[in-house]
Every structure is written in structure tokens, then in C-alpha cells.
Amino acid sequence: MDTCFEAAATRLLIVPGLGDSPPGHWQTWLQHLHRDSVRVVQRDWSAPDLDEWAKRIGASLGDALPQGALPIPTTMMLSTSDPWLAPDAGRRWARRWRSEVVDLGDVGHINIDAGFGTLPVAQRWVLATGRRLLGHPRSRPQGLVPQPSLGA
């Protein structure tokens, strides 16, 4: 699939969490749509080691896990009831990285168990971001509503 990222010399970074993202998960679905994407691979998906995982994510970004604003446009999709990432913690990372936040509401962890197989809103974000990187007019993909999380 032509993603607009190819012409912008940019890649989609897939960062799975605990247990990886099995077939049918929205991250794996996106990876299949964007064959040039980069997926972070951990040594042991069932035994989280935050420091080790952060190093591997950082290596995929070319450095340590960023502690400040990212040099690229990013969006974090959050749930108000995610048992693995509290909303306040997610919003702190979003502020730190200058990411837009899309609050999906009370949907649990954004995975297959919560009913998230394909995630068309994520695909719309990928395509819209690719267009913006190519200098096309900034347009917000339908279904993405940024939340007020980027305060001072």
C-alpha cells in the first residue's frame, strides 16, 4: 500500500506492548498495510523489563527513549480505563513528547480483548500524517479529535 510515508522518507514505528501484538491486533493490521513500517522487537514479550524495553524502543528511534519533544508529529491514542497505562501517565508522556492525544474513552486496553482488531481511526491518522509530511494541507482525519492535554 502506498502510504505517503514512502515519498516523505519516513517510516511508521510500531511499538507493541506486553505479549506483543498477535495476528488480528490493530498494530499488526497496520504493519501489514504499511510493509515499510518498523516494528520494535523485545527479547521476552511476557516478562516486561521497562529499562530493557525502553532501550529497544530508543534504538528503533535512533537514540534513548526521548524525554522531550519529538521531532516528528505524533499522536497517542489513550483509554480512560486502560489497566496498563493510566490516563494521567499517558497524558504526561504526550505533553513531554508534544503529541496530540486522542481519548477513546472508557474502552479498556486498546487490544483484541477490548474489541480492537482493525482500527480504522489509526489508519486514517497514518495516511493524514503522511500527507502532512509531504506538505499537503493540514487536515485532521475524520474521527480524530485531539484532547486538551498539551498544557504548559
Side-chain angles (χ1 to χ4, degrees), residues 15-37:
V15 185
L18 184 65
D20 197 5
S21 295
H25 191 284
W26 67 270
Q27 290 176 327
T28 302
W29 171 73
L30 271 180
Q31 182 179 7
H32 288 295
L33 290 178
H34 303 277
R35 297 282 180 189
D36 61 337
S37 62

Side-chain angles (χ1 to χ4, degrees), residues 73 100 128 131-132 135-141 146:
E100 288 186 7
R131 286 190 296 272
R132 283 196 305 270
H136 294 264
R138 184 174 177 104
S139 63
R140 185 160 318 284

Side-chain angles (χ1 to χ4, degrees), residues 124-142:
R124 288 192 298 272
W125 177 85
V126 168
L127 295 175
T129 299
R131 286 190 296 272
R132 283 196 305 270
L133 290 172
L134 289 172
H136 294 264
R138 184 174 177 104
S139 63
R140 185 160 318 284
Q142 182 181 12

Side-chain angles (χ1 to χ4, degrees), residues 7-93:
T10 303
R11 292 228 180 344
L12 174 64
L13 178 64
I14 306 284
V15 185
L18 184 65
D20 197 5
S21 295
H25 191 284
W26 67 270
Q27 290 176 327
T28 302
W29 171 73
L30 271 180
Q31 182 179 7
H32 288 295
L33 290 178
H34 303 277
R35 297 282 180 189
D36 61 337
S37 62
V38 175
R39 184 184 190 103
V40 174
V41 177
Q42 303 296 347
R43 279 189 210 151
D44 186 349
W45 287 105
S46 63
D49 177 333
L50 187 56
D51 291 334
E52 180 65 26
W53 285 24
K55 287 178 194 171
R56 288 184 177 267
I57 294 168
S60 296
L61 294 172
D63 201 345
L65 188 63
Q67 297 299 310
L70 298 175
I72 56 174
T74 58
T75 298
M76 286 187 70
M77 292 186 191
L78 301 173
S79 164
T80 58
S81 57
D82 190 328
W84 298 102
L85 180 65
D88 289 344
R91 289 181 187 282
R92 276 194 304 276
W93 279 106

Side-chain angles (χ1 to χ4, degrees), residues 89-111:
R91 289 181 187 282
R92 276 194 304 276
W93 279 106
R95 280 192 301 275
R96 183 177 292 166
W97 291 338
R98 303 284 191 266
S99 299
E100 288 186 7
V101 171
V102 174
D103 185 339
L104 297 178
D106 181 12
V107 297
H109 188 63
I110 306 168
N111 64 4

